[in-house]
Amino acid sequence: MFLSCGDSLFDMFIGSGDAQNAEHADALGTVSIDGIVGGSPLNVALGLSRFGHKSRFFTKISEDVFGRRLQAFMHSNNIDTSLSLPTTANTSLAMVERQSDGSAKYVFYIDNTADVSLTVDELPNDLPEDLRVIHFGSYSTAVNPCATSLAKLASSACNNKFISYDPNLRLSIEPDKSVWQETFKAFAKSANVIKASDEDIEGLFGANAEDKFVAESLDAGASLVYITRGGEGGSAFAASGASAHMPGAKVNVVDTVGAGDTFQASILHWIASENHIDASGSLSGEVDLKASLNFAIKAAGITCTRRGADLPTLSDVTAV
């Protein structure tokens, strides 16, 4: 069973329409917004559920209208929220503008909101016995009090749980790169598998620093490291010294929202379904890096053909 922790919000897509309508909206001072459930760790939980796994999510969920929709969405997608906590704090919101290449530009509204308000004393005392994998990532690992709380959960669970980590930098939320660097060090100490995009690596270590990222991740104790490069594909590295590289999927991109989270969920699915996680939460056996990359890149490509973080099912991926 999988547990994903942290970000849970609504992606609020700002409508553009055709040029004439956009000019009319500008003249009136209006903005059309369409909200879709999002949040990087929640997307990972969704992907794992759609791949057929028992998936749990741990966060604080608002009692506002967005929080109620989040709760309903998770229930309808078979994501267990029994560990999550209610709060009167507002739900986090992300304003999303699509760029001409399908990529997304984000502005976040998370001051004192539900998913970043988790405190250490609100961590679960006991984790489910069948829990094998815990995933962390994105702004919930960099914004306090949630960041400190999740780091404590990761460090306390890593002795017998398989830990997954995706830094997924959001510099519009926390512009201080040193905070993200300290966050990376904290979670990398606990992680068995670390995935990062080329953009995140540049944010953490500067330009041309992929080798540094891989080396520091493996030195911290990770067994597997993955790098994604958008349409250019990705790479995988193992502590054994093995590596693999795959080109990107050729798809008609609607937007890239949720693509990296799809990749993360796909890698976790692959590792678990190939029986590479032992009872002690460690990586077992030699992972077929090329095959895992191929599966994850296909899955992420499918998400790119859809609007928002609409992650594929297992049958969607195997049909490609």
Side-chain angles (χ1 to χ4, degrees):
M1 185 188 70
F2 296 84
L3 175 65
S4 195
C5 308
D7 314 8
S8 56
L9 52 76
F10 263 82
D11 288 323
M12 309 301 286
F13 288 84
I14 298 174
S16 57
D18 57 40
Q20 183 177 355
N21 287 336
E23 290 178 3
H24 184 62
D26 289 344
L28 293 176
T30 61
V31 176
S32 61
I33 296 176
D34 188 11
I36 299 177
V37 169
S40 178
L42 178 52
N43 292 338
V44 173
L46 174 63
L48 290 166
S49 178
R50 289 187 175 177
F51 285 152
H53 297 283
K54 187 174 182 180
S55 181
R56 286 182 184 261
F57 193 68
F58 175 51
T59 190
K60 291 181 74 173
I61 304 176
S62 176
E63 297 173 353
D64 66 12
V65 61
F66 295 107
R68 295 195 299 271
R69 294 289 180 88
L70 279 168
Q71 188 83 265
F73 173 84
M74 286 189 271
H75 287 172
S76 66
N77 282 277
N78 299 312
I79 300 171
D80 188 322
T81 62
S82 58
L83 291 177
S84 292
L85 305 170
T87 177
T88 57
N90 292 331
T91 301
S92 295
L93 300 176
M95 299 299 167
V96 187
E97 283 188 279
R98 294 188 193 84
Q99 307 302 295
S100 59
D101 62 355
S103 63
K105 180 180 179 181
Y106 294 87
V107 176
F108 291 87
Y109 294 81
I110 66 160
D111 288 346
N112 302 311
T113 50
D115 59 349
V116 294
S117 64
L118 181 74
T119 61
V120 169
D121 60 4
E122 292 173 319
L123 294 175
N125 293 322
D126 297 300
L127 295 172
E129 291 185 3
D130 61 346
L131 177 61
R132 299 173 65 197
V133 179
I134 308 178
H135 172 69
F136 302 91
S138 198
Y139 66 76
S140 57
T141 66
V143 177
N144 276 317
C146 187
T148 299
S149 305
L150 293 183
K152 181 177 177 61
L153 177 59
S155 63
S156 64
C158 68
N159 291 329
N160 57 9
K161 307 297 181 188
F162 189 91
I163 305 298
S164 163
Y165 172 54
D166 173 11
N168 198 7
L169 274 65
R170 298 301 187 196
L171 294 174
S172 60
I173 293 177
E174 175 49 75
D176 187 346
K177 291 185 178 181
S178 67
V179 172
W180 291 99
Q181 289 162 354
E182 290 304 312
T183 291
F184 174 79
K185 290 178 183 178
F187 282 87
K189 291 178 183 177
S190 303
N192 301 87
V193 60
I194 300 174
K195 187 274 288 183
S197 69
D198 52 355
E199 293 180 350
D200 289 340
I201 293 170
E202 183 171 350
L204 284 168
F205 300 111
N208 304 312
E210 289 189 1
D211 290 345
K212 177 180 175 64
F213 162 73
V214 173
E216 292 209 5
S217 297
L218 295 175
D219 288 346
S223 300
L224 295 170
V225 179
Y226 289 85
I227 297 174
T228 59
R229 304 185 185 89
E232 300 303 313
S235 301
F237 306 85
S240 65
S243 63
H245 312 275
M246 291 287 291
K250 303 300 182 183
V251 298
N252 294 320
V253 176
V254 174
D255 66 46
T256 61
V257 176
D261 305 324
T262 305
F263 187 100
Q264 187 84 35
S266 300
I267 292 300
L268 294 177
H269 160 77
W270 180 269
I271 294 169
S273 63
E274 295 295 314
N275 299 313
H276 286 303
I277 302 175
D278 64 24
S280 66
S282 299
L283 189 72
S284 174
E286 185 175 347
V287 175
D288 187 334
L289 299 179
K290 188 173 183 179
S292 66
L293 275 172
N294 182 55
F295 181 84
I297 288 171
K298 285 198 298 183
I302 293 171
T303 298
C304 289
T305 67
R306 302 172 175 180
R307 183 169 176 272
D310 185 3
L311 281 68
T313 64
L314 187 57
S315 60
D316 290 334
V317 182
T318 55
V320 175

